[in-house]
Amino acid sequence: MTVAADRDAAFLAGIDQLADAIAAVHADDVDRGARFPTETIDALREQRALSALVPAEYGGDGISFEAVAQACFVLGRRCGASAMVFAMHQIQVATIVRHLDGSPWFEDYLRELVADQRLIASVTSEVGTGGDMSRSVAALTPIDGDPARATFEKQAPTVSYGAYADDLLVTLRASPDAGPGDQVAVLARQSDTTLEPTGTWDPLGMRGTCSPGYVVRAEVPVAQVMGAPFPSISTESMVPISHLLWSHIWLGIATDAFDRARAFVRAAARRAPGEPVPAAMKLSHVMTQLSLLRAEVHSAMQDWTEAEADRERLSTMAFALRFNNLKLAASEQAPRVCQQAMGVCGIVGFKNDTPFSIGRHLRDSMSASLMVANERIHQTNAGLLLIAKEV
Ligand SMILES: Cc1cc2nc3c(=O)[nH]c(=O)nc-3n(C[C@@H](O)[C@H](O)[C@H](O)COP(=O)(O)OP(=O)(O)OC[C@H]3O[C@@H](n4cnc5c(N)ncnc54)[C@H](O)[C@@H]3O)c2cc1C
C-alpha cells in the first residue's frame, strides 16, 4: 500500500470503530431527544477527523475525499444525524481547501482548525430565497471608518448544529449594492456572531442535526471573505461535494435498513428451518433497489475523482446535470429502500424498540428530497437540458 492509502485505511478503521461503539449506541437517544450527537462529534474530534481533509502542509492528515465520503457512508449506517453533521462540516472544509487562492488568513485558519478541531456550520439557505443557493438577500456591509471590517445580518431558516459550531460559513451579497447573484462566502467565528433563534427544532427526521432558524448577525474582518466569487465556489466545489457526501449518507441509511430487513428474514428462517420465508422474496426486491442506489452513488464518485482537479470541466452544464441527478436519484431512492425494508419486517420494523426498527431510517431519509428541494433542482436541470450541447 502507498503511504496515502495507509493513511486512508487507518482513518477509516477509526471511523468504523467509533461508528459501532459510539454513534450506533447513542443514535436512538439522539433521535428521540432531537439532541446534538455530542458523544460522536467528540470522538471524531479526538480522532482528528474534523481536519481529515486539510492538506499536510497546513498540519492536517490529507485524507482523500473518497475516504471521507466512505466515512459518511459508515456513519450513516449507524446514525444519520451524526453522519450529516460530519458531512456538512467536511463540505465547508473541502470548499475552503479548494478555494484558498493563497489567502494567508484562510491558510492560518486551516492550521487553527487542525489544532482545535473546529466545527464549521453552513448558512446558505435564507428566508426569501429558500434553498436557492445562487441568490442572497443579506449583504456584507462595510463599516464606516473601518475598511478592514464588515457586518451582516442574515435570516437563516435552517442552520444545522449552529449552536454547537465554532464557526459558520455564510453566503451573502458581496455589498449592499450587489445583485442577488453577486455573492461571497464569509467565514464568521461564533465568537464574532450572535444567533438569535427564530424557531424550535422538532422535525420528522435528522433530529440530531439540531437545525432551527436564526437571525445570524456578525462583525468580521474582511480577510475572512473568501477571495473567489461564490458562484464559482458553488459550481466547482460546494454543490457537487454536498451531493456526493449527502448521497453517501443516504446510501448508508438505506444499507442499514436493508441489513435489518435481512436480519429479520434470516431470524425467521432459523425459527422454522426448511419452511419457506415469504418475506425473503420481498427482501430480494429491496436488494434490487439498494443496488441501484449504490451504483449511482459509486459511479458519481468515480466521475468526481476523474474530474475534481479540472475546474473547467466541473463548470460545464454536463457536470452540473450529473451531480444534480445524483442528488435527485439518491434522495428519492433512499426512502424507497427504507420503506420497502419496513415492508419486509412488518410490525417489528414499524415499532421503535426492536432490533429490526426502521422508523428512524425512514424518517431520516425523508429529509433528503428537502435538503435543497428536489423541485428546485429539477427546474434548474430543465433549463440546462434545453441549452446544454452534451449531457
Ligand atoms: C435536515 C436538514 C438540515 C439542513 N441544514 C441546513 C444548514 O445547515 N444550512 C442551510 O443553509 N440550510 C440547511 N437546510 C435547509 C435547506 O436545505 C433548505 O433547502 C431550505 O431550508 C429551504 O427550504 P424550503 O423547503 O422551505 O424552501 P424552498 O426551497 O423555497 O422550497 C419550498 C417549496 O417550494 C418548492 N419550490 C421552490 N422552488 C421551486 C421551483 N423553482 N420550482 C418548483 N418548486 C419549487 C419546493 O419544492 C418546496 O415544496 C437543511 C435542511 C434539512 C432538511
Side-chain angles (χ1 to χ4, degrees), residues 45 78 103 143 147 152 204 214 238 251 321 337 345-346 365:
R45 277 199 165 101
R78 298 296 173 249
S103 155
I143 294 180
F152 67 83
L204 183 69
Y214 296 100
M238 194 177 268
L251 176 62
L321 283 160
V337 171
C345 297
S365 70

Side-chain angles (χ1 to χ4, degrees), residues 4 62 66 145 166 193 204 241 351 360:
E66 289 87 335
D166 298 297
T193 306
L204 183 69
I241 286 171
K351 287 180 176 178
R360 174 166 54 81

Side-chain angles (χ1 to χ4, degrees), residues 19 23 27-28 31 69-85 87 204-209 244-262 286 289-291 293-294 297-298 330-342 345 355-369 371:
D28 286 332
D31 177 55
Q70 176 68 14
C72 291
F73 166 75
V74 169
L75 288 166
R77 282 176 91 161
R78 298 296 173 249
C79 173
S82 299
M84 190 51 78
V85 173
L204 183 69
M206 285 290 175
R207 291 168 60 81
T209 60
L244 282 159
L245 294 191
W246 291 347
S247 64
H248 276 77
I249 297 172
W250 303 330
L251 176 62
I253 294 170
T255 301
D256 194 54
F258 170 79
D259 288 346
R260 287 176 183 222
R262 182 158 179 260
V286 184
Q289 296 301 322
L290 178 65
S291 61
L293 174 58
R294 191 184 292 142
V297 172
H298 289 175
S331 65
E332 284 168 14
Q333 190 70 352
R336 191 174 296 141
V337 171
C338 293
Q339 189 166 358
Q340 288 188 356
M342 188 178 280
C345 297
F356 312 109
S357 303
I358 291 172
R360 174 166 54 81
H361 302 66
L362 184 55
R363 289 183 290 101
D364 282 353
S365 70
M366 289 178 78
S367 69
S369 60
M371 292 197 69

Side-chain angles (χ1 to χ4, degrees), residues 84 88 121-126 129-132 154 156-161 201 205-207 209 211 246 367-377 379-380:
M84 190 51 78
M88 300 272 282
S122 158
V123 189
T124 55
S125 313
E126 188 169 13
T129 61
D132 180 359
K154 178 165 178 170
T158 332
V159 183
S160 291
Y161 59 94
W201 181 248
M206 285 290 175
R207 291 168 60 81
T209 60
S211 316
W246 291 347
S367 69
S369 60
L370 310 179
M371 292 197 69
V372 182
N374 278 5
E375 287 313 305
R376 267 191 194 284
I377 302 177
Q379 196 197 31
T380 305

Side-chain angles (χ1 to χ4, degrees), residues 5-206:
D6 279 347
R7 265 201 310 263
D8 282 359
F11 165 74
L12 283 171
I15 297 289
D16 275 339
Q17 200 272 335
L18 81 80
D20 287 344
I22 300 174
V25 173
H26 297 285
D28 286 332
D29 188 59
V30 162
D31 177 55
R32 213 173 294 120
R35 71 161 179 87
F36 186 66
T38 309
E39 301 85 350
T40 305
I41 304 306
D42 284 352
L44 288 163
R45 277 199 165 101
E46 265 167 47
Q47 290 197 14
R48 288 168 50 96
L50 298 193
S51 57
L53 286 172
V54 176
E57 60 189 297
Y58 306 112
D61 293 335
I63 301 300
S64 70
F65 182 70
E66 289 87 335
V68 168
Q70 176 68 14
C72 291
F73 166 75
V74 169
L75 288 166
R77 282 176 91 161
R78 298 296 173 249
C79 173
S82 299
M84 190 51 78
V85 173
F86 178 75
M88 300 272 282
H89 165 79
Q90 300 296 349
I91 292 161
Q92 315 315 307
V93 177
T95 298
I96 293 171
V97 167
R98 285 170 57 82
H99 298 272
L100 271 176
D101 296 335
S103 155
W105 190 88
F106 277 99
E107 289 180 356
D108 283 346
Y109 175 74
L110 287 181
R111 293 187 188 96
E112 203 183 326
L113 188 151
V114 174
D116 301 342
Q117 293 294 295
R118 300 178 77 84
L119 180 66
I120 315 176
S122 158
V123 189
T124 55
S125 313
E126 188 169 13
V127 175
T129 61
D132 180 359
M133 264 178 31
S134 66
R135 288 184 302 132
S136 287
V137 178
L140 191 67
T141 306
I143 294 180
D144 278 345
D146 187 355
R149 298 182 73 78
T151 61
F152 67 83
E153 174 177 315
K154 178 165 178 170
Q155 315 278 332
T158 332
V159 183
S160 291
Y161 59 94
Y164 302 87
D166 298 297
D167 304 302
L168 305 110
L169 193 62
V170 186
T171 48
L172 297 165
R173 283 186 294 126
S175 71
D177 303 329
D182 180 3
Q183 295 165 292
V184 287
V186 180
L187 199 286
R189 291 178 186 277
Q190 189 77 272
S191 53
D192 294 330
T193 306
T194 58
L195 295 178
E196 181 192 322
T198 53
T200 54
W201 181 248
D202 183 11
L204 183 69
M206 285 290 175

